[in-house]
Amino acid sequence: MEQTIREMILQADDERNLDLICCVKEILDEFSSTHNCPLDWQHIGAALADEYPADSWVYENLGLCNFTETPETV
């Protein structure tokens, strides 16, 4: 599944296809919020957030800032 998501992102990025990148965002959002989803699927967004620069088209359109882990303050 992760490979399919990555291929969709590459195509969307190459074509600057907003419809496709929005579909990917919906999939990532669904994976991250579904409790019975396989863990490796739930963490795809976090992995992508680590890979793409924060100022990239992909990062911004996928809302990858929502997948970054912030250290908890005590």
Side-chain angles (χ1 to χ4, degrees), residues 24-35:
V24 174
K25 182 181 183 324
E26 289 176 22
I27 293 168
L28 292 176
D29 289 345
E30 193 66 32
F31 284 169
S32 69
S33 64
T34 303
H35 296 289

Side-chain angles (χ1 to χ4, degrees), residues 59-70:
Y59 192 98
E60 291 175 14
N61 284 285
L62 288 180
L64 293 178
C65 60
N66 297 320
F67 295 97
T68 58
E69 294 182 19
T70 54

Side-chain angles (χ1 to χ4, degrees), residues 14-68:
D14 286 345
E15 300 171 0
R16 288 298 193 252
N17 185 331
L18 265 178
D19 290 332
L20 183 55
I21 203 77
C22 286
C23 288
V24 174
K25 182 181 183 324
E26 289 176 22
I27 293 168
L28 292 176
D29 289 345
E30 193 66 32
F31 284 169
S32 69
S33 64
T34 303
H35 296 289
N36 60 349
C37 185
L39 283 178
D40 56 333
W41 292 11
Q42 288 180 344
H43 298 294
I44 294 172
L48 293 169
D50 289 339
E51 293 175 27
Y52 284 93
D55 61 347
S56 70
W57 184 86
V58 169
Y59 192 98
E60 291 175 14
N61 284 285
L62 288 180
L64 293 178
C65 60
N66 297 320
F67 295 97
T68 58

